[in-house]
Amino acid sequence: MKQHDAYAAWRLPSFRRYFSGNMILILGWQMQKVAIGWEIYERTHSAMALGYAGLAQFFPQALFMLFAGHITDTFNRKRVLMAALACNALAAVGLAVNSARGGSILVLYVCLFAYGSARAFIMPSRAAFLPGIIPLEIFSTAVSWNSSGFEISSMAGPAIGGLLIGAFQSPTLVYTINAIGQMTFVVLLGSITYKYQQAPRQPLTLRSFSAGFRFVWKAKVVLSAMLLDMFGVLLGGATAMMPIYAKDILRVGPRGLGWLMAAPSIGAFAMALLQAHRGPLKKAGRTLLFAVAGFGTVTVIFGISRSFWLSMTMMALLGSCDNISVVVRSTLVQILTPDDMRGRVSALNSLFIGTSNELGAFESGLVANFFGPVVSVVSGGIGTLLVVFGMAWLSPELRRYGRLDQPRVREEE
């Protein structure tokens, strides 16, 4: 058997440019996330105003995502991604100008709506673009490396954003840096060789829009992987309860909260490196089921823990399990989806996972409001375990799925 080459993806100039640009993109997004929260609360002192900010970004993504998937499958994905990034950068420029002038909060929300609208096109086009520059036999390894870059940016972005806001007492520079970073990604994408195969133009019809749903419904492995991840995120809302745990249960204050918030990214980064060096999974379906089960188990332990270090360990393990799930799901969605459907299926995947993040935080808060944070976290973890058992029983196709580097090859039980 050919020995696994953990660094094969890095020998491709296209991947190196994509990785660098994507890392810069995520870094800017994470920096701006801190800046938006700081500016809105500093100017309004209203928790509801912060909620409106999330809604202003989430609503256009939910509204335009399926249309964006159709556009991604109809036109050159590289150009769609570059155009969406440029629009996203313009929205960041609008935020910077509005902040520098002390403009209206309403204008800020308009910029956030534009920002979310552009992201609706970025998510599916970015996901569907990657298989066009990476051979499928090393695709899962490339996803693992890409995930490691995401985690580094996710850890560094909020810290850098906070430092810049503290130093300048204004988020204007953060918005500006984000705009520059996104245009840098546009330039890097422009230098990537991407062979676009003109597909027959499909009319904007309900049938075309629903093609992604129909494919996912028929492709049971893809459907099972998406549902498993979606319900895991929806029910396993430990991260949403972290501020309460840090202040009232573990009593570690804001510094401890910072470590708790960083722990999942640390665990995910370590697992991403391990997966990249280990090579494609041989029993991807079972591994995915075990990973989500592990996600639920460590959520329950975190929920009942009264030890800061045990809680930290559980959060790091939660990030590790989540990273396995992300890599397996992302790889399965891309390698099992026909190229002319990748945009619409990626849009559907982004919509499901994005919605579950938002609704998961709401669900955790709602249960905590009536029954307390411990019940909220523990019941969510137990719910995740029940979903895993149900999916393992209902989806034998997922249980039997074999190697990630051999599309449609399954192992018998």
Side-chain angles (χ1 to χ4, degrees):
M1 179 178 290
K2 185 178 179 181
Q3 187 175 5
H4 170 66
D5 183 359
Y7 300 95
W10 290 107
R11 296 186 176 88
L12 303 174
S14 295
F15 177 73
R16 294 197 298 268
R17 292 164 187 163
Y18 176 90
F19 177 90
S20 301
N22 190 61
M23 195 169 173
I24 293 170
L25 174 71
I26 301 302
L27 185 70
W29 280 359
Q30 294 295 331
M31 289 170 60
Q32 181 163 291
K33 184 177 180 180
V34 174
I36 289 169
W38 184 88
E39 180 176 11
I40 291 176
Y41 196 72
E42 182 73 9
R43 295 177 62 181
T44 66
H45 302 286
S46 168
M48 185 59 69
L50 290 172
Y52 290 148
L55 188 63
Q57 296 175 81
F58 168 73
F59 180 70
Q61 292 186 62
L63 183 64
F64 298 128
M65 190 67 78
L66 294 182
F67 174 70
H70 176 89
I71 294 298
T72 298
D73 282 336
T74 303
F75 298 97
N76 187 315
R77 289 164 183 166
K78 176 179 171 179
R79 293 179 181 175
V80 171
L81 179 55
M82 292 172 69
L85 286 167
C87 292
N88 211 234
L90 287 175
V93 170
L95 288 169
V97 172
N98 188 63
S99 173
R101 298 177 60 185
S104 167
I105 287 292
L106 179 60
V107 173
L108 185 149
Y109 287 138
V110 170
C111 290
L112 290 181
F113 186 91
Y115 197 78
S117 299
R119 284 189 63 164
F121 290 84
I122 291 172
M123 303 305 284
S125 59
R126 187 179 57 158
F129 174 76
L130 190 56
I133 61 173
I134 302 293
L136 290 182
E137 60 268 19
I138 62 170
F139 187 76
S140 64
T141 302
V143 171
S144 295
W145 282 118
N146 209 43
S147 177
S148 69
F150 173 87
E151 298 301 340
I152 292 173
S153 295
S154 295
M155 287 186 284
I160 295 173
L163 287 173
L164 290 175
I165 293 171
F168 294 92
Q169 292 299 302
S170 169
T172 303
L173 181 60
V174 173
Y175 298 142
T176 304
I177 291 174
N178 183 33
I180 294 172
Q182 291 185 86
M183 292 310 299
T184 301
F185 194 10
V186 171
V187 172
L188 287 170
L189 284 170
S191 65
I192 293 176
T193 301
Y194 179 72
K195 295 181 179 180
Y196 169 60
Q197 295 181 346
Q198 179 71 51
R201 292 290 174 88
Q202 302 182 42
L204 288 172
T205 63
L206 181 61
R207 179 174 178 80
S208 175
F209 270 23
S210 62
F213 285 100
R214 294 198 306 275
F215 171 79
V216 170
W217 181 255
K218 293 178 182 178
K220 299 303 183 184
V221 172
V222 176
L223 176 64
S224 300
M226 290 171 61
L227 289 176
L228 193 60
D229 203 341
M230 183 184 76
F231 281 110
V233 173
L234 180 64
L235 297 172
T239 53
M241 296 292 103
M242 275 193 199
I244 299 176
Y245 269 79
K247 182 179 180 181
D248 299 330
I249 297 177
L250 300 176
R251 300 184 185 280
V252 292
R255 183 173 296 179
L257 174 61
W259 281 108
L260 286 170
M261 294 291 286
S265 290
I266 294 171
F269 175 68
M271 181 54 66
L273 291 181
L274 178 62
Q275 289 195 86
H277 285 84
R278 187 182 181 277
L281 294 169
K282 296 179 180 179
K283 296 181 178 180
R286 293 179 182 178
T287 301
L288 177 59
L289 289 165
F290 279 121
V292 181
F295 186 96
T297 301
V298 300
T299 297
V300 172
I301 297 173
F302 173 84
I304 62 178
S305 171
R306 295 298 180 271
S307 164
F308 173 69
W309 290 109
L310 176 60
S311 298
M312 276 283 294
T313 302
M314 291 304 102
M315 284 294 96
L317 290 174
L318 183 142
S320 298
C321 292
D322 186 53
N323 182 262
I324 294 172
S325 175
V326 168
V327 170
V328 174
R329 172 179 53 80
S330 299
T331 303
L332 285 177
V333 168
Q334 295 303 327
I335 67 175
L336 295 182
T337 303
D339 186 65
D340 63 343
M341 294 283 294
R342 280 189 176 129
R344 281 164 289 184
V345 173
S346 295
L348 193 60
N349 183 45
S350 299
L351 182 60
F352 277 16
I353 303 306
T355 301
S356 63
N357 274 293
E358 300 290 340
L359 294 181
F362 175 75
E363 177 270 335
S364 297
L366 187 65
V367 175
N369 183 61
F370 287 102
F371 302 103
V374 174
V375 172
S376 174
V377 173
V378 172
S379 64
I382 293 173
T384 300
L385 289 170
L386 292 176
V387 168
V388 172
F389 294 141
M391 198 62 67
W393 177 56
L394 293 171
S395 180
E397 297 91 351
L398 182 63
R399 292 200 313 268
R400 297 169 183 165
Y401 197 90
R403 294 180 63 93
L404 277 181
D405 59 342
Q406 296 177 6
R408 303 186 186 280
V409 174
R410 297 167 174 80
E411 295 183 356
E412 296 297 329
E413 289 186 303

